[in-house]
Amino acid sequence: MAEEKKERYYPREIEPKWIEKWREASTYKASDFDKRQKKYVLVEFPYPSGFGLHVGHAFAFTGGDVLARFFRMKGYNVLFPMGWDAFGLPTENYAIKEKRRPQEITRENTTRFKEQMQRMGLSFDWEREINTTDPDYYKWTQWIFIELFKKGLAYKAQMPINWCPSCKIGLANEEVINGKCERCGAEVTKKNLEQWIVKITDYADRLINGLEKTNFVEKVKAAQINWIGKKEGAHINFPVKGKDLKIRVFTTRPDTLYGATFMVLAPELSSLSELTLPGQKRAVEEYIDQAQKKTELERTELTKKKTGCFTGSFAINPINGKEIPIWVGDFVLSSYGTGAIMGVPAHDERDFDFAQKYGLPVIPVIEPPENDWDFSKSAYTETDRGTTVNSELWNGVTPTEAIKLAIKYLEEKSIGKKATTYHLRDWIFSRQHYWGEPIPMVFCEKCGWQPVEEKDLPVRLPPVEEYEPTKTGESPLASIKDWTMTKCPSCRGKARRETDTMPNWAGSDWYFLRYIDPKNNQSLADQKKLKYWLPVDIYIGGDEHNTLHLLYSRFIYQFLWDIGVVPKEEPEPYYKRVSHGVILGLDGQRMSKSRGNVVNPDEIWEAFGADALRVYLMFIGPFDATMVWSQESLEGVYRFLKKVWNLFLNQVSEKETEAKLKRKLHQTIKKVGEDIGNFKYNTAVAAMMEFANSWQASGNLSRSDSLLFLKTMAPFAPFLAEELWSRLGEAFSIHATSWPEHDPKLIEEERVVIAVQINGKLRETLEIDFSLAKNKNEVEERAKKSEKVEKYLKDKELKKTIFVPGKLINFVVS
RNA sequence: GCCGUGGUGGCGGAAUGGUAGACGCGCAGGACUUAAAAUCCUGUGCCCUUUAAAGGCGUGAGGGUUCGAGUCCCUCCCUCGGCACCA
């Protein structure tokens, strides 16, 4: 760009100058086994898209950077690494469109991202850079998969994918828009493929219990627990009338068994064909056909519009021999429970809606406490109040007690038993795409599925002519015959390679371990180094990753713990998880190319410099909030930095600082330090602004005090801080100095303002010496002398006086 | 639908149950200037009032607890995020 560059308050050369100095001096290097205490600050690594760094990235990374810099100044040995989660669809699609190699595109994108990050002054330790698409990295991703397989945690099963019959390719959920193919608009159907599945459900309880050892924010814990969705209840077997067949249902409410008036099966259930009577065959098949086109979300939403179809068969309620009709309904999911439910419309809202729609009977078996419930209007679902009725074997108790009695009875009679189900499902691990880690498995007619031998890892992605998925639904790798043909690792006979690749999550599950030992070619990371650095002290990431990524990652870690790859002392990988917020475009919408509301950090950097961009991002709002970009506020921050710059150049001298300003300085040091530790960056910046205003008004700051203030600025504005530090004649680098300590004696105010309230309403304020403000009698006496207060106390009875030392006095009168 | 988040001036936001609106933006007035930009100073929740004093109202809506509620409890409304093949 030959355009003339806008003036800044500081010479432009200082940014590249300090970037180079920091690199040369390895200012941000994390040293293994250092004697100092360690801190591992992790920010989710980005997918290096072709659009370059996004302000959302800039925001999250700066948040981590401020913390990392603060911890370094606090004397910690800080690991603050960065890398690339570079496998994925966008690159693959771009490669298809441009007919270029994804490897090349990825290299370009990561180069650009890195440059942008460095320009922003982010203090990553670049010696530990990793890339999930690097064969030396994905060798270990593949190794983990083989270990999972060896422990029986990876298996093959038929699973449906989204299939576009017109393009003849599999589609990601994202590429299905309202049930139609994003590319051609054709109706998307399902196609069953043999896929690798990873048994994360084996770890369900551990993934819940392990949270106790962490310090995640509550909403993240809740997200994980809800996602796993552990529910206790019972399996109950219902015989089918006239058939030698039993249907097993799962219910959390076995106490309502007497109230079951129908049964609903998921459309995918294979036993359906056997159950459907000839007269109903057509209707049921049609219904199943329709249901398959819907997504799970569509099936479970819109409560009022539940649909179903009668199969013609009846089940027999094992508790009382009653016949109940068997329906098929798509609000029942095959992936949850047993794929079959007993319908108890009196005590379940979904069952109630279904019964209403199809005129099925409602039999109450729990009497609500007030006994005024209208069972024709809604279901009664409480379990802690109410009494069981119409339930021969367990009448007259609360539902909670009845659940226990019911399970006991069911188990005694072998018609059912206690059971737990989870919302969490096993993890579909296969993708029919090119740009992912090849799944390192080989199929032999004689020996079945065999893992590739460790010495042959990594299984590298071979060059391929076409990156398009094949018309059969297989990945493009399937078309490379001499690659797929191989030898069986077991019998050395002819065998065929797996051609599916791994999901994006595979590489990001364990990346934080690789930063600890990025170049190790003996193992994924050295035990001693892991022991030194783990756990991750703070993991900063987006809410959108609080379930999938975080859960998968914890699962893989727990698995690695089981097989002894990670230290026994650390059963959980992340000590603390913090969510960062989202920055919306000027229109209040999420930034996206198509909306045209994307703010490009490069332009901001160009116009205002790295420090202004950083400080603005930290000032815009609370770190975990949703915020709207504002150019005007950015300019305000730029003015603040300019003001600070000029104050340092013009208002620093050897003269001692005025007492009042000195007090403000120490208050600011205290507040900024506390706020950084609590991720309250916005108020930390506000405090520094307040100090700059006071400094400006007061005139002079002593040289030594100015250095203290500069240190508080350093984590936020590293360039400005380093440059002024050097201009004040201090030795390189401010970022290697220690955080200033505030003097507690200096921060106390001499005079304070006491609020005087009458019946809780503010009526007067008193300015009073700090030493007297804690004395109740003194304050009360002075308050009563005030005319304003007197007015309110006159002719009233003083009932009570509430005194908060140093803050407030409240007279309660009547 | 389920789960989660949030709702405070013209705007972004601040406030251990204790003076609501810090800080920033914007706006208004002033200083400097031939003028502008930049910078500095002053003011700025709303209503009544010429102004001021004094007062009243005010944190999505409605109730409650409390000497005192933006903050705690209950009911409701709305916003935003996630929902398993986007990462």
Side-chain angles (χ1 to χ4, degrees):
Chain A
M1 296 260 174
E3 279 172 45
E4 140 185 22
K5 287 186 176 176
K6 202 184 148 190
E7 274 303 309
R8 288 188 198 156
Y9 60 83
Y10 61 89
R12 282 177 171 268
E13 313 84 75
I14 72 167
E15 287 174 344
K17 176 179 82 184
W18 292 121
I19 289 170
E20 188 49 28
K21 279 254 188 188
W22 294 329
R23 198 189 57 76
E24 269 173 23
S26 299
T27 308
Y28 309 122
K29 186 183 164 76
S31 341
D32 298 329
F33 311 120
D34 192 282
K35 291 231 165 41
R36 288 170 294 168
Q37 245 195 307
K38 66 91 189 179
K39 283 275 184 195
Y40 188 170
V41 179
L42 182 67
V43 192
E44 282 171 358
F45 63 162
Y47 175 76
S49 85
F51 302 124
L53 201 73
H54 183 274
V55 282
H57 293 128
F59 173 72
F61 299 156
T62 306
D65 189 57
V66 170
L67 193 69
R69 289 176 178 278
F70 176 68
F71 281 147
R72 281 190 207 103
M73 292 176 83
K74 281 289 211 179
Y76 291 99
N77 179 28
V78 175
L79 173 55
F80 184 51
M82 187 38 69
W84 317 107
D85 187 16
F87 277 128
L89 267 189
T91 302
E92 175 162 315
N93 288 336
Y94 190 73
I96 292 168
K97 212 176 100 198
E98 302 288 322
K99 302 219 174 295
R100 294 180 52 201
R101 300 185 63 218
Q103 286 84 346
E104 228 175 84
I105 297 162
T106 297
R107 202 175 315 119
E108 282 171 19
N109 292 349
T110 53
T111 304
R112 177 159 175 221
F113 264 66
K114 186 170 172 180
E115 208 177 274
Q116 287 177 300
M117 288 176 178
Q118 286 176 324
R119 279 202 313 212
M120 284 196 63
L122 297 169
S123 62
F124 297 124
D125 180 355
W126 287 109
E127 287 172 36
R128 294 169 184 266
E129 178 179 352
I130 58 167
N131 187 327
T132 57
T133 66
D134 179 349
D136 289 336
Y137 180 94
Y138 69 66
K139 169 180 178 179
W140 299 104
T141 311
Q142 291 174 334
W143 182 85
I144 292 170
F145 181 84
I146 289 170
E147 292 302 309
L148 286 166
F149 176 80
K150 286 181 182 165
K151 292 285 182 287
L153 290 167
Y155 61 97
K156 271 234 160 177
Q158 287 274 331
M159 281 286 165
I161 61 165
N162 299 309
W163 179 253
C164 173
S166 156
C167 305
K168 294 214 166 26
I169 55 168
L171 299 173
N173 279 352
E174 194 196 41
E175 298 169 302
V176 181
I177 312 290
N178 295 325
K180 299 205 165 60
C181 172
E182 186 188 51
R183 308 165 188 222
C184 70
E187 195 91 16
V188 172
T189 58
K190 303 270 188 222
K191 183 184 173 82
N192 272 320
L193 286 182
E194 280 263 303
Q195 310 208 55
W196 285 103
I197 317 285
V198 170
K199 249 177 157 173
I200 187 174
T201 48
D202 274 13
Y203 281 69
D205 282 321
R206 277 190 45 203
L207 289 167
I208 295 173
N209 299 335
L211 289 171
E212 284 169 21
K213 300 182 188 93
T214 72
N215 189 21
F216 292 2
V217 293
E218 278 310 312
K219 75 165 174 179
V220 177
K221 279 191 186 176
Q224 298 244 314
I225 289 168
N226 292 333
W227 190 256
I228 296 165
K230 181 175 184 172
K231 276 193 181 155
E232 312 234 328
H235 282 144
I236 304 174
N237 297 314
F238 284 66
V240 177
K241 186 189 168 194
K243 292 215 157 64
D244 184 23
L245 188 67
K246 279 183 178 169
I247 299 173
R248 194 168 65 147
V249 304
F250 173 77
T251 175
T252 56
R253 298 293 304 277
D255 57 314
T256 63
L257 185 52
Y258 286 95
T261 57
F262 58 92
M263 177 181 279
V264 188
L265 311 184
E268 293 85 358
L269 235 57
S270 53
S271 49
L272 262 174
S273 54
E274 205 179 323
L275 285 168
T276 307
L277 296 192
Q280 296 294 109
K281 212 165 186 76
R282 221 168 120 193
V284 169
E285 275 168 9
E286 221 163 84
Y287 181 80
I288 293 173
D289 220 40
Q290 286 297 311
Q292 276 184 341
K293 289 184 183 146
K294 295 192 201 169
T295 67
E296 212 163 88
L297 195 57
E298 286 166 336
R299 282 170 55 171
T300 48
E301 78 182 342
L302 303 170
T303 25
K304 299 297 163 196
K305 286 191 194 161
K306 287 197 172 56
T307 59
C309 182
F310 180 45
T311 61
S313 287
F314 288 84
I316 294 160
N317 188 336
I319 199 80
N320 57 12
K322 269 197 187 168
E323 291 179 12
I324 58 173
I326 302 174
W327 289 63
V328 53
D330 64 12
F331 71 100
V332 177
L333 303 177
S334 62
S335 54
Y336 185 69
T338 60
I341 61 152
M342 63 179 201
V344 185
H347 305 293
D348 182 279
E349 274 166 38
R350 289 173 320 167
D351 297 351
F352 181 85
D353 292 337
F354 193 79
Q356 286 277 302
K357 175 149 181 184
Y358 295 106
L360 298 161
V362 178
I363 302 173
V365 291
I366 292 157
E367 201 172 88
E370 280 83 31
N371 201 17
D372 56 354
W373 199 268
D374 186 350
F375 280 98
S376 69
K377 290 225 169 68
S378 63
Y380 178 80
T381 58
E382 279 185 51
T383 53
D384 46 354
R385 296 189 319 143
T387 316
T388 44
V389 292
N390 302 326
S391 304
E392 231 186 306
L393 290 165
W394 52 78
N395 269 329
V397 295
T398 64
T400 313
E401 288 167 64
I403 290 172
K404 288 180 204 148
L405 294 173
I407 290 173
K408 193 167 165 238
Y409 180 80
L410 294 172
E411 285 181 345
E412 275 168 15
K413 298 284 167 190
S414 301
I415 46 180
K417 64 182 203 183
K418 193 174 167 140
T420 306
T421 58
Y422 300 89
H423 175 71
L424 182 71
R425 312 203 289 254
D426 277 343
W427 177 10
I428 303 175
F429 207 76
S430 294
R431 299 292 183 271
Q432 296 72 41
H433 285 282
Y434 175 78
W435 195 225
E437 302 88 345
I439 293 176
M441 297 295 292
V442 170
F443 185 76
C444 168
E445 293 291 347
K446 248 170 50 198
C447 315
W449 282 105
Q450 296 292 321
V452 170
E453 286 172 279
E454 194 173 329
K455 67 172 174 58
D456 294 329
L457 292 180
V459 176
R460 287 167 189 265
L461 268 171
V464 62
E465 296 293 321
E466 290 285 333
Y467 298 109
E468 292 266 13
T470 64
K471 304 287 179 200
T472 57
E474 291 174 293
S475 98
L477 297 181
S479 63
I480 316 172
K481 289 284 168 289
D482 47 345
W483 183 78
T484 54
M485 297 276 284
T486 186
K487 279 192 178 135
C488 171
S490 175
C491 71
R492 304 288 155 191
K494 267 192 189 171
R496 178 173 53 81
R497 283 185 194 281
E498 170 62 63
T499 58
D500 281 352
T501 52
M502 298 188 194
N504 205 274
W505 311 108
S508 60
D509 280 336
W510 67 281
Y511 73 115
F512 62 99
L513 299 173
R514 192 63 178 174
Y515 285 136
I516 289 172
D517 197 7
K519 296 183 180 77
N520 194 326
N521 52 22
Q522 300 303 310
S523 64
L524 61 82
D526 175 71
Q527 273 273 350
K528 284 196 205 94
K529 291 183 185 173
L530 290 171
K531 205 167 161 181
Y532 176 80
W533 286 111
L534 286 175
V536 172
D537 292 279
I538 292 185
Y539 190 15
I540 298 170
D543 278 339
E544 69 275 22
H545 291 137
N546 282 345
T547 43
L548 295 181
H549 163 66
L550 202 55
L551 205 65
Y552 290 151
S553 182
R554 290 182 54 230
F555 157 60
I556 292 297
Y557 184 89
Q558 291 183 345
F559 169 71
L560 294 174
W561 189 84
D562 285 349
I563 62 170
V565 173
V566 294
K568 281 290 165 214
E569 294 80 2
E570 303 297 342
E572 282 286 330
Y574 310 112
Y575 174 65
K576 184 170 185 163
R577 165 83 180 183
V578 174
S579 302
H580 64 70
V582 177
I583 300 179
L584 305 175
L586 284 169
D587 54 359
Q589 299 288 310
R590 248 173 196 266
M591 289 188 195
S592 74
K593 271 274 164 204
S594 58
R595 286 202 188 91
N597 62 350
V598 175
V599 177
N600 182 347
D602 278 350
E603 287 167 22
I604 306 303
W605 176 85
E606 188 58 48
F608 299 95
D611 288 331
L613 174 56
R614 291 171 58 104
V615 177
Y616 169 67
L617 289 169
M618 296 298 93
F619 182 62
I620 182 171
F623 190 59
D624 62 353
T626 305
M627 296 149 290
V628 178
W629 183 265
S630 148
Q631 192 79 16
E632 289 82 10
S633 296
L634 171 62
E635 283 170 25
V637 167
Y638 181 81
R639 281 202 282 269
F640 159 63
L641 294 177
K642 185 172 171 182
K643 179 189 281 184
V644 170
W645 178 267
N646 287 323
L647 283 167
F648 270 96
L649 296 190
N650 304 315
Q651 290 183 213
V652 175
S653 77
E654 295 300 335
K655 265 196 316 197
E656 190 42 52
T657 310
E658 229 177 84
K660 223 173 124 187
L661 187 61
K662 201 164 183 110
R663 185 188 311 136
K664 186 79 182 169
L665 173 66
H666 285 262
Q667 287 170 341
T668 304
I669 292 168
K670 178 168 188 268
K671 172 136 181 80
V672 173
E674 285 169 358
D675 282 354
I676 293 175
N678 294 320
F679 290 93
K680 295 178 75 177
Y681 299 136
N682 55 334
T683 51
V685 174
M688 294 187 289
M689 285 174 167
E690 276 189 63
F691 178 76
N693 292 340
S694 302
W695 180 5
Q696 179 161 277
S698 154
N700 175 64
L701 191 63
S702 76
R703 212 188 82 91
S704 60
D705 283 341
S706 79
L707 294 177
L708 297 182
F709 177 58
L710 197 57
K711 284 183 176 185
T712 66
M713 295 280 299
F716 294 89
F719 295 102
L720 172 143
E722 192 74 280
E723 178 67 18
L724 290 171
W725 184 256
S726 132
R727 289 191 185 202
L728 286 161
E730 296 296 315
F732 181 82
S733 154
I734 188 170
H735 302 296
T737 63
S738 58
W739 185 256
E741 291 295 326
H742 72 273
D743 183 340
K745 278 178 293 199
L746 279 175
I747 63 171
E748 289 195 354
E749 293 284 351
E750 283 162 18
R751 290 177 74 76
V752 291
V753 177
I754 302 277
V756 184
Q757 300 182 334
I758 314 293
N759 288 344
K761 252 195 172 359
L762 180 74
R763 296 298 178 185
E764 174 69 303
T765 55
L766 293 176
E767 203 188 313
I768 188 166
D769 273 6
F770 183 74
S771 52
L772 300 175
K774 288 186 173 165
N775 183 320
K776 185 178 177 185
N777 293 338
E778 185 74 29
V779 172
E780 187 169 346
E781 207 171 293
R782 285 183 187 228
K784 281 179 175 166
K785 275 188 200 146
S786 154
E787 268 179 51
K788 286 187 207 164
V789 174
E790 214 184 347
K791 196 170 88 187
Y792 285 98
L793 294 181
K794 207 168 67 181
D795 307 326
K796 295 276 166 67
E797 186 196 342
L798 182 61
K799 298 180 86 168
K800 205 174 179 184
T801 307
I802 285 138
F803 178 64
V804 182
K807 279 239 157 124
L808 151 155
I809 187 154
N810 184 15
F811 296 110
V812 184
V813 298
S814 61

